[in-house]
Amino acid sequence: MKLENGEVITLDDGKEYIVFNSILKEGVNYVFLISNFKPVEICFAKEIIDGENISLEIINDQKQKEELMKYFDVR
């Protein structure tokens, strides 16, 4: 089980995001999240699947964000 594009999720901070896209890169699944509130926020996260449980590790490293932007074709 993994997150699907279009799925709405709530992060630990209580904010809701839409899974806009996901990619598999070097054996790791990354998701591109867009908030469903204004002002719009975007973030990238590493999806961690443990059996039936899914957790997300938000990407905070600027270099890694820029690299992921290329894979997700964010301009």
Side-chain angles (χ1 to χ4, degrees), residues 17-34:
Y17 288 81
I18 300 165
V19 179
F20 184 72
N21 203 350
S22 62
I23 59 168
L24 184 63
K25 179 179 175 279
E26 298 174 3
V28 178
N29 197 50
Y30 292 95
V31 291
F32 177 19
L33 304 172
I34 298 180

PDB file of all heavy atoms in Angstrom, residues 17-34:
ATOM      1  N   TYR A  17      -2.599  18.208   2.770  1.00  0.00           N
ATOM      2  CA  TYR A  17      -1.907  18.301   1.492  1.00  0.00           C
ATOM      3  C   TYR A  17      -2.485  17.281   0.530  1.00  0.00           C
ATOM      4  O   TYR A  17      -2.972  16.227   0.946  1.00  0.00           O
ATOM      5  CB  TYR A  17      -0.409  18.027   1.654  1.00  0.00           C
ATOM      6  CG  TYR A  17       0.333  19.140   2.350  1.00  0.00           C
ATOM      7  CD1 TYR A  17       0.319  19.251   3.729  1.00  0.00           C
ATOM      8  CD2 TYR A  17       1.042  20.081   1.621  1.00  0.00           C
ATOM      9  CE1 TYR A  17       0.993  20.278   4.370  1.00  0.00           C
ATOM     10  CE2 TYR A  17       1.723  21.112   2.252  1.00  0.00           C
ATOM     11  CZ  TYR A  17       1.696  21.193   3.622  1.00  0.00           C
ATOM     12  OH  TYR A  17       2.363  22.215   4.250  1.00  0.00           O
ATOM     13  N   ILE A  18      -2.389  17.590  -0.748  1.00  0.00           N
ATOM     14  CA  ILE A  18      -2.793  16.672  -1.801  1.00  0.00           C
ATOM     15  C   ILE A  18      -1.534  16.052  -2.389  1.00  0.00           C
ATOM     16  O   ILE A  18      -0.563  16.766  -2.660  1.00  0.00           O
ATOM     17  CB  ILE A  18      -3.575  17.414  -2.901  1.00  0.00           C
ATOM     18  CG1 ILE A  18      -4.832  18.046  -2.304  1.00  0.00           C
ATOM     19  CG2 ILE A  18      -3.922  16.475  -4.058  1.00  0.00           C
ATOM     20  CD1 ILE A  18      -5.485  19.076  -3.198  1.00  0.00           C
ATOM     21  N   VAL A  19      -1.540  14.736  -2.563  1.00  0.00           N
ATOM     22  CA  VAL A  19      -0.422  14.064  -3.222  1.00  0.00           C
ATOM     23  C   VAL A  19      -0.550  14.387  -4.710  1.00  0.00           C
ATOM     24  O   VAL A  19      -1.429  13.880  -5.385  1.00  0.00           O
ATOM     25  CB  VAL A  19      -0.445  12.538  -2.974  1.00  0.00           C
ATOM     26  CG1 VAL A  19       0.713  11.875  -3.705  1.00  0.00           C
ATOM     27  CG2 VAL A  19      -0.404  12.237  -1.486  1.00  0.00           C
ATOM     28  N   PHE A  20       0.307  15.268  -5.177  1.00  0.00           N
ATOM     29  CA  PHE A  20       0.239  15.724  -6.561  1.00  0.00           C
ATOM     30  C   PHE A  20       0.910  14.738  -7.509  1.00  0.00           C
ATOM     31  O   PHE A  20       0.436  14.496  -8.608  1.00  0.00           O
ATOM     32  CB  PHE A  20       0.888  17.105  -6.681  1.00  0.00           C
ATOM     33  CG  PHE A  20       0.786  17.720  -8.033  1.00  0.00           C
ATOM     34  CD1 PHE A  20      -0.429  18.210  -8.495  1.00  0.00           C
ATOM     35  CD2 PHE A  20       1.879  17.797  -8.869  1.00  0.00           C
ATOM     36  CE1 PHE A  20      -0.541  18.779  -9.750  1.00  0.00           C
ATOM     37  CE2 PHE A  20       1.787  18.369 -10.121  1.00  0.00           C
ATOM     38  CZ  PHE A  20       0.575  18.857 -10.562  1.00  0.00           C
ATOM     39  N   ASN A  21       2.027  14.161  -7.059  1.00  0.00           N
ATOM     40  CA  ASN A  21       2.767  13.221  -7.906  1.00  0.00           C
ATOM     41  C   ASN A  21       3.716  12.416  -7.035  1.00  0.00           C
ATOM     42  O   ASN A  21       4.005  12.811  -5.903  1.00  0.00           O
ATOM     43  CB  ASN A  21       3.542  13.990  -8.984  1.00  0.00           C
ATOM     44  CG  ASN A  21       3.861  13.141 -10.197  1.00  0.00           C
ATOM     45  OD1 ASN A  21       3.669  11.930 -10.187  1.00  0.00           O
ATOM     46  ND2 ASN A  21       4.344  13.762 -11.247  1.00  0.00           N
ATOM     47  N   SER A  22       4.205  11.318  -7.570  1.00  0.00           N
ATOM     48  CA  SER A  22       5.203  10.519  -6.855  1.00  0.00           C
ATOM     49  C   SER A  22       6.169   9.925  -7.869  1.00  0.00           C
ATOM     50  O   SER A  22       5.818   9.724  -9.032  1.00  0.00           O
ATOM     51  CB  SER A  22       4.534   9.420  -6.031  1.00  0.00           C
ATOM     52  OG  SER A  22       3.844   8.528  -6.858  1.00  0.00           O
ATOM     53  N   ILE A  23       7.390   9.697  -7.402  1.00  0.00           N
ATOM     54  CA  ILE A  23       8.405   9.076  -8.244  1.00  0.00           C
ATOM     55  C   ILE A  23       9.172   8.056  -7.416  1.00  0.00           C
ATOM     56  O   ILE A  23       9.259   8.161  -6.196  1.00  0.00           O
ATOM     57  CB  ILE A  23       9.403  10.101  -8.843  1.00  0.00           C
ATOM     58  CG1 ILE A  23      10.126  10.870  -7.752  1.00  0.00           C
ATOM     59  CG2 ILE A  23       8.735  11.018  -9.830  1.00  0.00           C
ATOM     60  CD1 ILE A  23      11.307  11.685  -8.240  1.00  0.00           C
ATOM     61  N   LEU A  24       9.725   7.083  -8.103  1.00  0.00           N
ATOM     62  CA  LEU A  24      10.614   6.108  -7.491  1.00  0.00           C
ATOM     63  C   LEU A  24      12.018   6.438  -7.984  1.00  0.00           C
ATOM     64  O   LEU A  24      12.279   6.419  -9.187  1.00  0.00           O
ATOM     65  CB  LEU A  24      10.220   4.687  -7.895  1.00  0.00           C
ATOM     66  CG  LEU A  24      11.013   3.564  -7.249  1.00  0.00           C
ATOM     67  CD1 LEU A  24      10.821   3.564  -5.741  1.00  0.00           C
ATOM     68  CD2 LEU A  24      10.583   2.228  -7.830  1.00  0.00           C
ATOM     69  N   LYS A  25      12.896   6.802  -7.047  1.00  0.00           N
ATOM     70  CA  LYS A  25      14.254   7.204  -7.398  1.00  0.00           C
ATOM     71  C   LYS A  25      15.218   6.442  -6.509  1.00  0.00           C
ATOM     72  O   LYS A  25      15.172   6.572  -5.284  1.00  0.00           O
ATOM     73  CB  LYS A  25      14.414   8.714  -7.203  1.00  0.00           C
ATOM     74  CG  LYS A  25      15.777   9.245  -7.515  1.00  0.00           C
ATOM     75  CD  LYS A  25      15.792  10.760  -7.312  1.00  0.00           C
ATOM     76  CE  LYS A  25      17.160  11.312  -7.501  1.00  0.00           C
ATOM     77  NZ  LYS A  25      18.022  11.154  -6.338  1.00  0.00           N
ATOM     78  N   GLU A  26      16.048   5.621  -7.155  1.00  0.00           N
ATOM     79  CA  GLU A  26      17.057   4.822  -6.450  1.00  0.00           C
ATOM     80  C   GLU A  26      16.429   3.991  -5.325  1.00  0.00           C
ATOM     81  O   GLU A  26      16.945   3.913  -4.221  1.00  0.00           O
ATOM     82  CB  GLU A  26      18.159   5.727  -5.917  1.00  0.00           C
ATOM     83  CG  GLU A  26      18.916   6.461  -7.013  1.00  0.00           C
ATOM     84  CD  GLU A  26      19.908   7.474  -6.492  1.00  0.00           C
ATOM     85  OE1 GLU A  26      20.086   7.591  -5.260  1.00  0.00           O
ATOM     86  OE2 GLU A  26      20.523   8.155  -7.333  1.00  0.00           O
ATOM     87  N   GLY A  27      15.284   3.394  -5.630  1.00  0.00           N
ATOM     88  CA  GLY A  27      14.621   2.513  -4.679  1.00  0.00           C
ATOM     89  C   GLY A  27      13.830   3.211  -3.585  1.00  0.00           C
ATOM     90  O   GLY A  27      13.296   2.562  -2.693  1.00  0.00           O
ATOM     91  N   VAL A  28      13.735   4.534  -3.655  1.00  0.00           N
ATOM     92  CA  VAL A  28      13.009   5.312  -2.653  1.00  0.00           C
ATOM     93  C   VAL A  28      11.848   6.024  -3.338  1.00  0.00           C
ATOM     94  O   VAL A  28      12.019   6.617  -4.396  1.00  0.00           O
ATOM     95  CB  VAL A  28      13.940   6.349  -1.979  1.00  0.00           C
ATOM     96  CG1 VAL A  28      13.169   7.193  -0.974  1.00  0.00           C
ATOM     97  CG2 VAL A  28      15.121   5.660  -1.318  1.00  0.00           C
ATOM     98  N   ASN A  29      10.674   5.949  -2.724  1.00  0.00           N
ATOM     99  CA  ASN A  29       9.511   6.634  -3.265  1.00  0.00           C
ATOM    100  C   ASN A  29       9.421   8.027  -2.651  1.00  0.00           C
ATOM    101  O   ASN A  29       9.427   8.182  -1.434  1.00  0.00           O
ATOM    102  CB  ASN A  29       8.234   5.846  -2.972  1.00  0.00           C
ATOM    103  CG  ASN A  29       7.095   6.290  -3.857  1.00  0.00           C
ATOM    104  OD1 ASN A  29       7.255   6.372  -5.068  1.00  0.00           O
ATOM    105  ND2 ASN A  29       5.959   6.591  -3.262  1.00  0.00           N
ATOM    106  N   TYR A  30       9.373   9.043  -3.517  1.00  0.00           N
ATOM    107  CA  TYR A  30       9.219  10.429  -3.087  1.00  0.00           C
ATOM    108  C   TYR A  30       7.881  10.952  -3.551  1.00  0.00           C
ATOM    109  O   TYR A  30       7.415  10.594  -4.630  1.00  0.00           O
ATOM    110  CB  TYR A  30      10.331  11.308  -3.693  1.00  0.00           C
ATOM    111  CG  TYR A  30      11.696  10.996  -3.154  1.00  0.00           C
ATOM    112  CD1 TYR A  30      12.539  10.119  -3.828  1.00  0.00           C
ATOM    113  CD2 TYR A  30      12.161  11.584  -1.972  1.00  0.00           C
ATOM    114  CE1 TYR A  30      13.801   9.824  -3.341  1.00  0.00           C
ATOM    115  CE2 TYR A  30      13.425  11.292  -1.481  1.00  0.00           C
ATOM    116  CZ  TYR A  30      14.238  10.418  -2.168  1.00  0.00           C
ATOM    117  OH  TYR A  30      15.484  10.124  -1.684  1.00  0.00           O
ATOM    118  N   VAL A  31       7.260  11.803  -2.737  1.00  0.00           N
ATOM    119  CA  VAL A  31       5.985  12.396  -3.098  1.00  0.00           C
ATOM    120  C   VAL A  31       6.112  13.909  -3.144  1.00  0.00           C
ATOM    121  O   VAL A  31       6.886  14.514  -2.403  1.00  0.00           O
ATOM    122  CB  VAL A  31       4.848  11.994  -2.136  1.00  0.00           C
ATOM    123  CG1 VAL A  31       4.513  10.526  -2.284  1.00  0.00           C
ATOM    124  CG2 VAL A  31       5.183  12.308  -0.697  1.00  0.00           C
ATOM    125  N   PHE A  32       5.366  14.511  -4.066  1.00  0.00           N
ATOM    126  CA  PHE A  32       5.286  15.948  -4.250  1.00  0.00           C
ATOM    127  C   PHE A  32       3.924  16.345  -3.694  1.00  0.00           C
ATOM    128  O   PHE A  32       2.891  15.908  -4.193  1.00  0.00           O
ATOM    129  CB  PHE A  32       5.422  16.259  -5.743  1.00  0.00           C
ATOM    130  CG  PHE A  32       5.290  17.699  -6.136  1.00  0.00           C
ATOM    131  CD1 PHE A  32       5.442  18.730  -5.235  1.00  0.00           C
ATOM    132  CD2 PHE A  32       5.016  18.023  -7.448  1.00  0.00           C
ATOM    133  CE1 PHE A  32       5.331  20.050  -5.626  1.00  0.00           C
ATOM    134  CE2 PHE A  32       4.910  19.342  -7.867  1.00  0.00           C
ATOM    135  CZ  PHE A  32       5.062  20.354  -6.939  1.00  0.00           C
ATOM    136  N   LEU A  33       3.928  17.154  -2.641  1.00  0.00           N
ATOM    137  CA  LEU A  33       2.705  17.524  -1.952  1.00  0.00           C
ATOM    138  C   LEU A  33       2.372  18.992  -2.184  1.00  0.00           C
ATOM    139  O   LEU A  33       3.265  19.847  -2.158  1.00  0.00           O
ATOM    140  CB  LEU A  33       2.856  17.285  -0.445  1.00  0.00           C
ATOM    141  CG  LEU A  33       3.255  15.875  -0.023  1.00  0.00           C
ATOM    142  CD1 LEU A  33       3.556  15.840   1.470  1.00  0.00           C
ATOM    143  CD2 LEU A  33       2.163  14.886  -0.373  1.00  0.00           C
ATOM    144  N   ILE A  34       1.090  19.278  -2.402  1.00  0.00           N
ATOM    145  CA  ILE A  34       0.601  20.642  -2.563  1.00  0.00           C
ATOM    146  C   ILE A  34      -0.516  20.848  -1.546  1.00  0.00           C
ATOM    147  O   ILE A  34      -1.430  20.017  -1.435  1.00  0.00           O
ATOM    148  CB  ILE A  34       0.065  20.889  -3.983  1.00  0.00           C
ATOM    149  CG1 ILE A  34       1.185  20.713  -5.005  1.00  0.00           C
ATOM    150  CG2 ILE A  34      -0.543  22.285  -4.091  1.00  0.00           C
ATOM    151  CD1 ILE A  34       0.758  20.925  -6.443  1.00  0.00           C
TER     152      ILE A  34
END
